[in-house]
Amino acid sequence: MTTLIENAIKYVKELFQNEYSGHDYFHTIRVYKIAKQIAIKENANIETVMISALLHDVDDIKLSPNTNKNKDNARKFLQDNKVEENIINLICDIISEISYKGIDSKPAKTLEGRIVQDADRLDALGAIGIARAFAYGGNHNRVMYDPDILPCLNMTELEYRNHISTTVNHFYEKLFNLKSLMNTQTAKEIAISRENYMKEYLKTFINEWDGVL
Ligand code: ADP
Ligand code: NI
């Protein structure tokens, strides 16, 4: 198991080398670390959680549209590492359930999947979440904020994927929905404190924007 985890860490480090849109190697490592801690608190199968967390973005639809459907990257890595076929299927199933899909988002079927889903979403919140949102916005040529463009709430998966807006609107369109989508109590508590921090940040942002001294 240790070798499998070590190999997965090496694999994602190489795969995400030139990735700057918010799904980089360090995002994966943060998700892995937080998922591991939640797994211990929630008595989940820690090996399944660790390996699924490490591989959760390797077939992401935005980064790797051609391998997304059959999870080819994850499957090949696990096969090369001699993982049993039924475990490979379980891990690929978990990976396919993780992503945020607007109002079409559903909790993953297994406890292990729900934990990785929570860990991935927690990394979109808090200080890191703010940094990732602005990094993504810059990478996609979006403006930071425009008071004349209002956020679009309650989007379906298709609407969410095709929607172009400002980075501040993204807080309202996705990030502030995440708290209520958390599956585990542990993640819910972390999400509440991270969201409060972001709301404080936005208050300061708007004050500075409006020239309030
Ligand atoms: P997932 O991790 O569920 O695949 P995304 O790809 O939507 O979700 O998000 C990855 C990171 O990029 C998150 O930190 C998210 O906040 C950020 N992000 C995604 N879309 C936007 C956007 N339109 N504006 C700013 N940040 C975004
Ligand atoms: Ni992710």
Side-chain angles (χ1 to χ4, degrees), residues 23 60 62 99-100 120 132-133 136 142 160 170 174-175:
H23 287 99
D60 184 90
K62 294 166 256 55
S99 210
Y100 178 77
D120 190 31
R132 287 181 77 208
Y136 181 103
R142 310 255 168 103
Y160 172 70
H170 181 69
K174 171 183 176 185
L175 303 177

Side-chain angles (χ1 to χ4, degrees), residues 90-103:
L90 169 71
I91 293 166
C92 289
D93 232 34
I94 290 179
I95 297 172
S96 66
E97 296 176 311
I98 303 296
S99 210
Y100 178 77
K101 301 183 171 82
I103 56 168

